[in-house]
Amino acid sequence: MSELTGYLDVWFNAVDDFVGVLEALPDSAWQLPTDLPGWDVHAVVAHVAHLESLLAGGEHEEVPVPEAPHVRNPMGTFTEQGVVARRGLTPAELIGEIRASTSARHAALLADPPSDPDAPAPGVFGALGWSTRTLLRNRPLDVWMHGQDVRRAVGLQGGMDLPVAAHVTDVLLEALPVVVAKRAGLPPGTSVVVEVRGHAPAAAEVGADGRGSLLSEVPAEPTVRLRLDREAYTRLSAGRSRPEGGVEMSGDADLGMRLLESMAITP
């Protein structure tokens, strides 16, 4: 219960920050492009509104989706439908939908907290194979990351010191074995240490079978060591625009560059 309640708290923390940023934007900012191909600020907000509406019991609208390079599969079509269905909404209407959906869901979860973290998540998320734990842990990541997309688009820094920012970074660090072995394809025997300021170092190694695993002890001389600030790490892990500075690398330079080029683990 304490684990799930904690995820609920950081999710609502992310929502509060996200909506606060949106309410301060002039109308002209909503057409600015973001790091996400094909999406401006309005589209990013519409996407968040769509998912939060579904979680609060809203209906998904089956609308035609124009062909676009960033729509590559059925899940991409489903996601884009939520954006297309909201193209005619004003900024105030999108903000209102997010506030209404998240407030309703927050109240419902507080009144009747989920008791089984391994139970299937509701709706489309359960269809993806997500458990309740996975859903509650990942929603803060999605909302906060899209809040950062909006902040970068409009040139507004912030949100890096929030509890949800720490949560997102910790969740992303847990995926380090996948990054080193599958995404970067580093050779067996490679060890990697990632030090994000404000977080415990994360260490992973590629085994003889080519699979990655977390190391319980941080090696003193890994094959590659990265030192990053939280903003640089989350941008790289989310596949957003490359940060300017904020990254220090030591060890094998070629493998380190391969790692940096392959750190994205979220769509």
Side-chain angles (χ1 to χ4, degrees):
M1 290 295 292
S2 60
E3 176 194 14
L4 300 183
T5 300
Y7 295 154
L8 177 59
D9 288 344
V10 293
W11 162 69
F12 213 58
N13 176 238
V15 170
D16 187 59
D17 180 68
F18 186 63
V19 172
V21 170
L22 300 181
E23 290 177 333
L25 296 181
D27 288 346
S28 59
W30 289 72
Q31 284 72 51
L32 292 174
T34 70
D35 288 340
L36 301 175
W39 280 8
D40 58 12
V41 169
H42 189 282
V44 168
V45 178
H47 166 64
V48 174
H50 173 222
L51 294 189
E52 292 299 344
S53 173
L54 293 179
L55 285 167
E59 296 292 328
H60 173 72
E61 296 184 54
E62 296 282 349
V63 298
V65 173
E67 290 188 11
H70 64 282
V71 182
R72 299 185 295 270
N73 51 45
M75 192 62 199
T77 298
F78 176 87
T79 299
E80 195 71 10
Q81 284 179 323
V83 173
V84 172
R86 288 164 174 77
R87 278 183 179 163
L89 296 186
T90 66
E93 288 170 333
L94 284 176
I95 293 171
E97 181 179 15
I98 292 172
R99 278 206 177 277
S101 297
T102 55
S103 295
R105 180 167 174 257
H106 188 239
L109 288 172
L110 289 179
D112 185 19
S115 57
D116 183 1
D118 297 319
V124 64
F125 299 96
L128 292 173
W130 285 21
S131 66
T132 296
R133 175 191 287 110
T134 301
L135 172 62
L136 293 182
R137 192 179 75 149
N138 285 1
R139 279 314 297 155
L141 188 152
D142 189 63
V143 175
W144 181 83
M145 201 68 76
H146 287 314
Q148 290 298 310
D149 292 331
V150 172
R151 284 181 179 274
R152 283 192 298 276
V154 303
L156 180 64
Q157 294 183 330
M160 286 292 161
D161 295 329
L162 297 173
V164 65
H167 167 82
V168 169
T169 304
D170 286 338
V171 169
L172 293 173
L173 283 169
E174 291 178 10
L176 186 58
V178 174
V179 172
V180 300
K182 185 176 180 179
R183 297 285 197 254
L186 302 185
T190 301
S191 59
V192 172
V193 173
V194 176
E195 300 177 4
V196 180
R197 285 194 281 279
H199 297 261
E205 185 177 56
V206 182
D209 59 359
R211 297 183 178 182
S213 60
L214 286 173
L215 297 174
S216 57
E217 295 186 8
V218 178
E221 297 184 7
T223 310
V224 177
R225 185 188 301 274
L226 296 181
R227 291 188 174 94
L228 313 87
D229 60 25
R230 188 178 282 170
E231 180 176 5
Y233 178 70
T234 53
R235 283 171 67 168
L236 288 168
S237 295
R240 268 47 171 189
S241 59
R242 289 287 296 269
E244 297 180 6
V247 181
E248 299 176 15
M249 182 176 64
S250 60
D252 188 304
D254 291 337
L255 294 183
M257 288 305 299
R258 191 196 300 185
L259 177 64
L260 283 174
E261 294 294 336
S262 308
M263 289 183 69
I265 60 173
T266 68

mmCIF file of all heavy atoms in Angstrom, residues 61-102:
data_model
loop_
_atom_site.group_PDB
_atom_site.id
_atom_site.type_symbol
_atom_site.label_atom_id
_atom_site.label_comp_id
_atom_site.label_asym_id
_atom_site.label_seq_id
_atom_site.Cartn_x
_atom_site.Cartn_y
_atom_site.Cartn_z
ATOM 1 N N GLU A 61 -11.961 8.019 -28.661
ATOM 2 C CA GLU A 61 -12.653 8.361 -29.898
ATOM 3 C C GLU A 61 -11.917 7.782 -31.097
ATOM 4 O O GLU A 61 -10.738 8.074 -31.317
ATOM 5 C CB GLU A 61 -12.758 9.883 -30.049
ATOM 6 C CG GLU A 61 -13.606 10.550 -28.980
ATOM 7 C CD GLU A 61 -13.752 12.043 -29.223
ATOM 8 O OE1 GLU A 61 -14.175 12.420 -30.341
ATOM 9 O OE2 GLU A 61 -13.431 12.814 -28.316
ATOM 10 N N GLU A 62 -12.598 6.963 -31.874
ATOM 11 C CA GLU A 62 -12.023 6.384 -33.087
ATOM 12 C C GLU A 62 -12.163 7.391 -34.225
ATOM 13 O O GLU A 62 -13.186 7.453 -34.900
ATOM 14 C CB GLU A 62 -12.737 5.077 -33.433
ATOM 15 C CG GLU A 62 -12.573 3.987 -32.398
ATOM 16 C CD GLU A 62 -11.211 3.306 -32.492
ATOM 17 O OE1 GLU A 62 -10.496 3.554 -33.491
ATOM 18 O OE2 GLU A 62 -10.881 2.538 -31.577
ATOM 19 N N VAL A 63 -11.146 8.191 -34.432
ATOM 20 C CA VAL A 63 -11.180 9.206 -35.477
ATOM 21 C C VAL A 63 -10.112 8.896 -36.521
ATOM 22 O O VAL A 63 -9.109 8.235 -36.225
ATOM 23 C CB VAL A 63 -10.937 10.619 -34.896
ATOM 24 C CG1 VAL A 63 -12.040 10.986 -33.907
ATOM 25 C CG2 VAL A 63 -9.578 10.704 -34.212
ATOM 26 N N PRO A 64 -10.321 9.353 -37.782
ATOM 27 C CA PRO A 64 -9.311 9.123 -38.823
ATOM 28 C C PRO A 64 -8.003 9.834 -38.466
ATOM 29 O O PRO A 64 -8.015 10.948 -37.947
ATOM 30 C CB PRO A 64 -9.948 9.731 -40.080
ATOM 31 C CG PRO A 64 -11.413 9.810 -39.782
ATOM 32 C CD PRO A 64 -11.516 10.037 -38.304
ATOM 33 N N VAL A 65 -6.904 9.189 -38.757
ATOM 34 C CA VAL A 65 -5.578 9.748 -38.493
ATOM 35 C C VAL A 65 -4.829 9.892 -39.810
ATOM 36 O O VAL A 65 -4.616 8.899 -40.513
ATOM 37 C CB VAL A 65 -4.780 8.848 -37.532
ATOM 38 C CG1 VAL A 65 -3.349 9.339 -37.406
ATOM 39 C CG2 VAL A 65 -5.445 8.802 -36.163
ATOM 40 N N PRO A 66 -4.434 11.106 -40.161
ATOM 41 C CA PRO A 66 -3.669 11.292 -41.401
ATOM 42 C C PRO A 66 -2.336 10.550 -41.342
ATOM 43 O O PRO A 66 -1.762 10.368 -40.263
ATOM 44 C CB PRO A 66 -3.452 12.813 -41.455
ATOM 45 C CG PRO A 66 -4.455 13.401 -40.513
ATOM 46 C CD PRO A 66 -4.676 12.370 -39.457
ATOM 47 N N GLU A 67 -1.838 10.122 -42.489
ATOM 48 C CA GLU A 67 -0.535 9.481 -42.521
ATOM 49 C C GLU A 67 0.540 10.470 -42.083
ATOM 50 O O GLU A 67 0.521 11.632 -42.482
ATOM 51 C CB GLU A 67 -0.222 8.968 -43.936
ATOM 52 C CG GLU A 67 -1.079 7.790 -44.354
ATOM 53 C CD GLU A 67 -0.612 7.197 -45.673
ATOM 54 O OE1 GLU A 67 0.482 7.571 -46.145
ATOM 55 O OE2 GLU A 67 -1.355 6.368 -46.234
ATOM 56 N N ALA A 68 1.454 9.999 -41.260
ATOM 57 C CA ALA A 68 2.537 10.855 -40.766
ATOM 58 C C ALA A 68 3.718 9.967 -40.398
ATOM 59 O O ALA A 68 3.533 8.824 -39.952
ATOM 60 C CB ALA A 68 2.081 11.657 -39.544
ATOM 61 N N PRO A 69 4.939 10.465 -40.567
ATOM 62 C CA PRO A 69 6.125 9.649 -40.271
ATOM 63 C C PRO A 69 6.187 9.152 -38.833
ATOM 64 O O PRO A 69 6.756 8.092 -38.567
ATOM 65 C CB PRO A 69 7.288 10.602 -40.579
ATOM 66 C CG PRO A 69 6.736 11.598 -41.545
ATOM 67 C CD PRO A 69 5.303 11.770 -41.144
ATOM 68 N N HIS A 70 5.610 9.928 -37.885
ATOM 69 C CA HIS A 70 5.719 9.520 -36.485
ATOM 70 C C HIS A 70 4.625 8.540 -36.065
ATOM 71 O O HIS A 70 4.636 8.064 -34.930
ATOM 72 C CB HIS A 70 5.681 10.756 -35.574
ATOM 73 C CG HIS A 70 4.392 11.520 -35.619
ATOM 74 N ND1 HIS A 70 4.066 12.379 -36.630
ATOM 75 C CD2 HIS A 70 3.341 11.547 -34.760
ATOM 76 C CE1 HIS A 70 2.879 12.925 -36.411
ATOM 77 N NE2 HIS A 70 2.420 12.423 -35.273
ATOM 78 N N VAL A 71 3.704 8.209 -36.980
ATOM 79 C CA VAL A 71 2.663 7.212 -36.693
ATOM 80 C C VAL A 71 3.049 5.942 -37.444
ATOM 81 O O VAL A 71 2.829 5.814 -38.645
ATOM 82 C CB VAL A 71 1.277 7.706 -37.126
ATOM 83 C CG1 VAL A 71 0.214 6.668 -36.776
ATOM 84 C CG2 VAL A 71 0.946 9.038 -36.460
ATOM 85 N N ARG A 72 3.639 4.967 -36.721
ATOM 86 C CA ARG A 72 4.276 3.835 -37.386
ATOM 87 C C ARG A 72 3.626 2.480 -37.090
ATOM 88 O O ARG A 72 3.993 1.488 -37.697
ATOM 89 C CB ARG A 72 5.755 3.767 -36.984
ATOM 90 C CG ARG A 72 6.563 4.992 -37.378
ATOM 91 C CD ARG A 72 8.040 4.811 -37.062
ATOM 92 N NE ARG A 72 8.283 4.699 -35.635
ATOM 93 C CZ ARG A 72 8.537 5.741 -34.840
ATOM 94 N NH1 ARG A 72 8.574 6.957 -35.353
ATOM 95 N NH2 ARG A 72 8.754 5.559 -33.551
ATOM 96 N N ASN A 73 2.681 2.433 -36.173
ATOM 97 C CA ASN A 73 2.104 1.137 -35.806
ATOM 98 C C ASN A 73 0.736 1.362 -35.173
ATOM 99 O O ASN A 73 0.312 2.518 -34.969
ATOM 100 C CB ASN A 73 3.037 0.393 -34.850
ATOM 101 C CG ASN A 73 3.466 1.265 -33.664
ATOM 102 O OD1 ASN A 73 2.644 1.952 -33.055
ATOM 103 N ND2 ASN A 73 4.755 1.238 -33.332
ATOM 104 N N PRO A 74 -0.003 0.283 -34.860
ATOM 105 C CA PRO A 74 -1.338 0.445 -34.271
ATOM 106 C C PRO A 74 -1.343 1.253 -32.979
ATOM 107 O O PRO A 74 -2.268 2.045 -32.750
ATOM 108 C CB PRO A 74 -1.789 -0.998 -34.036
ATOM 109 C CG PRO A 74 -1.072 -1.784 -35.086
ATOM 110 C CD PRO A 74 0.267 -1.129 -35.210
ATOM 111 N N MET A 75 -0.336 1.059 -32.130
ATOM 112 C CA MET A 75 -0.300 1.834 -30.894
ATOM 113 C C MET A 75 -0.078 3.305 -31.199
ATOM 114 O O MET A 75 -0.644 4.192 -30.541
ATOM 115 C CB MET A 75 0.801 1.306 -29.969
ATOM 116 C CG MET A 75 0.717 1.876 -28.548
ATOM 117 S SD MET A 75 -0.836 1.414 -27.743
ATOM 118 C CE MET A 75 -0.921 2.630 -26.436
ATOM 119 N N GLY A 76 0.747 3.589 -32.222
ATOM 120 C CA GLY A 76 0.943 4.973 -32.626
ATOM 121 C C GLY A 76 -0.332 5.600 -33.158
ATOM 122 O O GLY A 76 -0.619 6.772 -32.906
ATOM 123 N N THR A 77 -1.120 4.803 -33.877
ATOM 124 C CA THR A 77 -2.408 5.291 -34.382
ATOM 125 C C THR A 77 -3.355 5.595 -33.231
ATOM 126 O O THR A 77 -4.030 6.634 -33.211
ATOM 127 C CB THR A 77 -3.046 4.251 -35.317
ATOM 128 O OG1 THR A 77 -2.188 4.040 -36.440
ATOM 129 C CG2 THR A 77 -4.412 4.728 -35.806
ATOM 130 N N PHE A 78 -3.400 4.680 -32.271
ATOM 131 C CA PHE A 78 -4.254 4.886 -31.093
ATOM 132 C C PHE A 78 -3.866 6.178 -30.370
ATOM 133 O O PHE A 78 -4.729 6.983 -29.992
ATOM 134 C CB PHE A 78 -4.115 3.687 -30.152
ATOM 135 C CG PHE A 78 -4.871 3.814 -28.862
ATOM 136 C CD1 PHE A 78 -6.192 3.427 -28.783
ATOM 137 C CD2 PHE A 78 -4.257 4.319 -27.714
ATOM 138 C CE1 PHE A 78 -6.897 3.541 -27.588
ATOM 139 C CE2 PHE A 78 -4.951 4.437 -26.521
ATOM 140 C CZ PHE A 78 -6.276 4.037 -26.464
ATOM 141 N N THR A 79 -2.565 6.368 -30.174
ATOM 142 C CA THR A 79 -2.076 7.566 -29.492
ATOM 143 C C THR A 79 -2.430 8.821 -30.276
ATOM 144 O O THR A 79 -2.889 9.820 -29.707
ATOM 145 C CB THR A 79 -0.551 7.479 -29.301
ATOM 146 O OG1 THR A 79 -0.242 6.335 -28.500
ATOM 147 C CG2 THR A 79 -0.010 8.726 -28.627
ATOM 148 N N GLU A 80 -2.231 8.765 -31.585
ATOM 149 C CA GLU A 80 -2.506 9.942 -32.415
ATOM 150 C C GLU A 80 -3.988 10.270 -32.462
ATOM 151 O O GLU A 80 -4.378 11.433 -32.594
ATOM 152 C CB GLU A 80 -1.971 9.710 -33.833
ATOM 153 C CG GLU A 80 -1.873 10.969 -34.681
ATOM 154 C CD GLU A 80 -0.767 11.911 -34.248
ATOM 155 O OE1 GLU A 80 0.073 11.520 -33.401
ATOM 156 O OE2 GLU A 80 -0.736 13.054 -34.754
ATOM 157 N N GLN A 81 -4.846 9.257 -32.346
ATOM 158 C CA GLN A 81 -6.288 9.514 -32.333
ATOM 159 C C GLN A 81 -6.674 10.424 -31.171
ATOM 160 O O GLN A 81 -7.542 11.295 -31.315
ATOM 161 C CB GLN A 81 -7.055 8.196 -32.254
ATOM 162 C CG GLN A 81 -7.092 7.436 -33.572
ATOM 163 C CD GLN A 81 -7.835 6.125 -33.458
ATOM 164 O OE1 GLN A 81 -7.755 5.428 -32.437
ATOM 165 N NE2 GLN A 81 -8.557 5.752 -34.508
ATOM 166 N N GLY A 82 -6.036 10.214 -30.024
ATOM 167 C CA GLY A 82 -6.326 11.084 -28.884
ATOM 168 C C GLY A 82 -5.943 12.521 -29.143
ATOM 169 O O GLY A 82 -6.610 13.451 -28.661
ATOM 170 N N VAL A 83 -4.867 12.718 -29.909
ATOM 171 C CA VAL A 83 -4.411 14.070 -30.251
ATOM 172 C C VAL A 83 -5.326 14.697 -31.288
ATOM 173 O O VAL A 83 -5.769 15.842 -31.151
ATOM 174 C CB VAL A 83 -2.957 14.026 -30.757
ATOM 175 C CG1 VAL A 83 -2.516 15.399 -31.276
ATOM 176 C CG2 VAL A 83 -2.022 13.559 -29.650
ATOM 177 N N VAL A 84 -5.617 13.929 -32.360
ATOM 178 C CA VAL A 84 -6.457 14.453 -33.445
ATOM 179 C C VAL A 84 -7.855 14.810 -32.928
ATOM 180 O O VAL A 84 -8.435 15.828 -33.307
ATOM 181 C CB VAL A 84 -6.548 13.418 -34.583
ATOM 182 C CG1 VAL A 84 -7.576 13.847 -35.634
ATOM 183 C CG2 VAL A 84 -5.178 13.222 -35.229
ATOM 184 N N ALA A 85 -8.393 13.970 -32.041
ATOM 185 C CA ALA A 85 -9.741 14.211 -31.517
ATOM 186 C C ALA A 85 -9.835 15.506 -30.727
ATOM 187 O O ALA A 85 -10.934 16.047 -30.529
ATOM 188 C CB ALA A 85 -10.172 13.042 -30.639
ATOM 189 N N ARG A 86 -8.686 16.042 -30.296
ATOM 190 C CA ARG A 86 -8.685 17.245 -29.458
ATOM 191 C C ARG A 86 -8.107 18.474 -30.168
ATOM 192 O O ARG A 86 -7.876 19.500 -29.528
ATOM 193 C CB ARG A 86 -7.891 16.965 -28.168
ATOM 194 C CG ARG A 86 -8.628 16.037 -27.219
ATOM 195 C CD ARG A 86 -7.728 15.446 -26.153
ATOM 196 N NE ARG A 86 -8.512 14.670 -25.191
ATOM 197 C CZ ARG A 86 -8.974 13.441 -25.443
ATOM 198 N NH1 ARG A 86 -8.710 12.858 -26.600
ATOM 199 N NH2 ARG A 86 -9.693 12.801 -24.529
ATOM 200 N N ARG A 87 -7.895 18.380 -31.456
ATOM 201 C CA ARG A 87 -7.298 19.507 -32.171
ATOM 202 C C ARG A 87 -8.140 20.770 -32.097
ATOM 203 O O ARG A 87 -7.626 21.881 -32.146
ATOM 204 C CB ARG A 87 -7.061 19.125 -33.637
ATOM 205 C CG ARG A 87 -5.781 18.330 -33.848
ATOM 206 C CD ARG A 87 -5.528 18.032 -35.292
ATOM 207 N NE ARG A 87 -4.282 17.298 -35.468
ATOM 208 C CZ ARG A 87 -3.949 16.632 -36.560
ATOM 209 N NH1 ARG A 87 -4.796 16.616 -37.596
ATOM 210 N NH2 ARG A 87 -2.803 15.999 -36.631
ATOM 211 N N GLY A 88 -9.451 20.607 -32.000
ATOM 212 C CA GLY A 88 -10.318 21.775 -31.967
ATOM 213 C C GLY A 88 -10.516 22.368 -30.589
ATOM 214 O O GLY A 88 -11.192 23.397 -30.447
ATOM 215 N N LEU A 89 -9.929 21.764 -29.574
ATOM 216 C CA LEU A 89 -10.104 22.269 -28.213
ATOM 217 C C LEU A 89 -9.170 23.446 -27.956
ATOM 218 O O LEU A 89 -8.032 23.480 -28.428
ATOM 219 C CB LEU A 89 -9.828 21.172 -27.186
ATOM 220 C CG LEU A 89 -10.761 19.959 -27.190
ATOM 221 C CD1 LEU A 89 -10.433 19.032 -26.018
ATOM 222 C CD2 LEU A 89 -12.218 20.382 -27.140
ATOM 223 N N THR A 90 -9.656 24.395 -27.196
ATOM 224 C CA THR A 90 -8.833 25.535 -26.808
ATOM 225 C C THR A 90 -7.877 25.123 -25.692
ATOM 226 O O THR A 90 -8.084 24.095 -25.025
ATOM 227 C CB THR A 90 -9.700 26.682 -26.303
ATOM 228 O OG1 THR A 90 -10.343 26.276 -25.074
ATOM 229 C CG2 THR A 90 -10.761 27.076 -27.330
ATOM 230 N N PRO A 91 -6.821 25.912 -25.466
ATOM 231 C CA PRO A 91 -5.943 25.619 -24.331
ATOM 232 C C PRO A 91 -6.706 25.491 -23.015
ATOM 233 O O PRO A 91 -6.437 24.572 -22.224
ATOM 234 C CB PRO A 91 -4.988 26.811 -24.319
ATOM 235 C CG PRO A 91 -4.879 27.203 -25.757
ATOM 236 C CD PRO A 91 -6.266 27.009 -26.298
ATOM 237 N N ALA A 92 -7.643 26.379 -22.790
ATOM 238 C CA ALA A 92 -8.409 26.328 -21.542
ATOM 239 C C ALA A 92 -9.206 25.033 -21.433
ATOM 240 O O ALA A 92 -9.340 24.462 -20.340
ATOM 241 C CB ALA A 92 -9.345 27.531 -21.445
ATOM 242 N N GLU A 93 -9.737 24.565 -22.565
ATOM 243 C CA GLU A 93 -10.521 23.328 -22.538
ATOM 244 C C GLU A 93 -9.625 22.117 -22.268
ATOM 245 O O GLU A 93 -10.021 21.187 -21.542
ATOM 246 C CB GLU A 93 -11.264 23.164 -23.858
ATOM 247 C CG GLU A 93 -12.420 24.141 -24.019
ATOM 248 C CD GLU A 93 -13.013 24.147 -25.413
ATOM 249 O OE1 GLU A 93 -12.280 23.829 -26.385
ATOM 250 O OE2 GLU A 93 -14.208 24.480 -25.544
ATOM 251 N N LEU A 94 -8.434 22.105 -22.846
ATOM 252 C CA LEU A 94 -7.505 21.007 -22.576
ATOM 253 C C LEU A 94 -7.081 20.991 -21.115
ATOM 254 O O LEU A 94 -7.036 19.930 -20.470
ATOM 255 C CB LEU A 94 -6.272 21.126 -23.474
ATOM 256 C CG LEU A 94 -6.436 20.732 -24.939
ATOM 257 C CD1 LEU A 94 -5.141 21.003 -25.700
ATOM 258 C CD2 LEU A 94 -6.816 19.264 -25.064
ATOM 259 N N ILE A 95 -6.751 22.153 -20.596
ATOM 260 C CA ILE A 95 -6.372 22.245 -19.178
ATOM 261 C C ILE A 95 -7.529 21.781 -18.298
ATOM 262 O O ILE A 95 -7.337 21.046 -17.321
ATOM 263 C CB ILE A 95 -5.957 23.684 -18.826
ATOM 264 C CG1 ILE A 95 -4.656 24.051 -19.556
ATOM 265 C CG2 ILE A 95 -5.771 23.836 -17.317
ATOM 266 C CD1 ILE A 95 -4.279 25.514 -19.439
ATOM 267 N N GLY A 96 -8.731 22.198 -18.648
ATOM 268 C CA GLY A 96 -9.904 21.801 -17.873
ATOM 269 C C GLY A 96 -10.126 20.299 -17.893
ATOM 270 O O GLY A 96 -10.490 19.700 -16.866
ATOM 271 N N GLU A 97 -9.898 19.675 -19.056
ATOM 272 C CA GLU A 97 -10.060 18.228 -19.145
ATOM 273 C C GLU A 97 -9.037 17.511 -18.260
ATOM 274 O O GLU A 97 -9.374 16.549 -17.554
ATOM 275 C CB GLU A 97 -9.914 17.758 -20.586
ATOM 276 C CG GLU A 97 -10.108 16.249 -20.730
ATOM 277 C CD GLU A 97 -9.989 15.750 -22.164
ATOM 278 O OE1 GLU A 97 -9.476 16.508 -23.024
ATOM 279 O OE2 GLU A 97 -10.403 14.605 -22.421
ATOM 280 N N ILE A 98 -7.800 17.982 -18.286
ATOM 281 C CA ILE A 98 -6.765 17.354 -17.453
ATOM 282 C C ILE A 98 -7.096 17.518 -15.979
ATOM 283 O O ILE A 98 -6.994 16.568 -15.192
ATOM 284 C CB ILE A 98 -5.383 17.955 -17.776
ATOM 285 C CG1 ILE A 98 -4.953 17.558 -19.183
ATOM 286 C CG2 ILE A 98 -4.333 17.484 -16.754
ATOM 287 C CD1 ILE A 98 -3.694 18.243 -19.665
ATOM 288 N N ARG A 99 -7.499 18.716 -15.592
ATOM 289 C CA ARG A 99 -7.836 18.941 -14.180
ATOM 290 C C ARG A 99 -8.999 18.061 -13.745
ATOM 291 O O ARG A 99 -8.966 17.436 -12.670
ATOM 292 C CB ARG A 99 -8.172 20.416 -13.952
ATOM 293 C CG ARG A 99 -6.963 21.311 -13.783
ATOM 294 C CD ARG A 99 -7.312 22.548 -12.972
ATOM 295 N NE ARG A 99 -6.165 23.394 -12.727
ATOM 296 C CZ ARG A 99 -5.293 23.190 -11.747
ATOM 297 N NH1 ARG A 99 -5.442 22.142 -10.948
ATOM 298 N NH2 ARG A 99 -4.277 24.021 -11.568
ATOM 299 N N ALA A 100 -10.043 17.986 -14.569
ATOM 300 C CA ALA A 100 -11.219 17.200 -14.203
ATOM 301 C C ALA A 100 -10.885 15.708 -14.114
ATOM 302 O O ALA A 100 -11.272 15.024 -13.160
ATOM 303 C CB ALA A 100 -12.339 17.442 -15.218
ATOM 304 N N SER A 101 -10.153 15.205 -15.109
ATOM 305 C CA SER A 101 -9.836 13.777 -15.141
ATOM 306 C C SER A 101 -8.931 13.377 -13.987
ATOM 307 O O SER A 101 -9.173 12.374 -13.300
ATOM 308 C CB SER A 101 -9.159 13.415 -16.466
ATOM 309 O OG SER A 101 -10.017 13.646 -17.561
ATOM 310 N N THR A 102 -7.876 14.146 -13.769
ATOM 311 C CA THR A 102 -6.917 13.778 -12.729
ATOM 312 C C THR A 102 -7.501 13.959 -11.333
ATOM 313 O O THR A 102 -7.221 13.157 -10.436
ATOM 314 C CB THR A 102 -5.617 14.588 -12.863
ATOM 315 O OG1 THR A 102 -5.914 15.995 -12.852
ATOM 316 C CG2 THR A 102 -4.900 14.247 -14.164
#
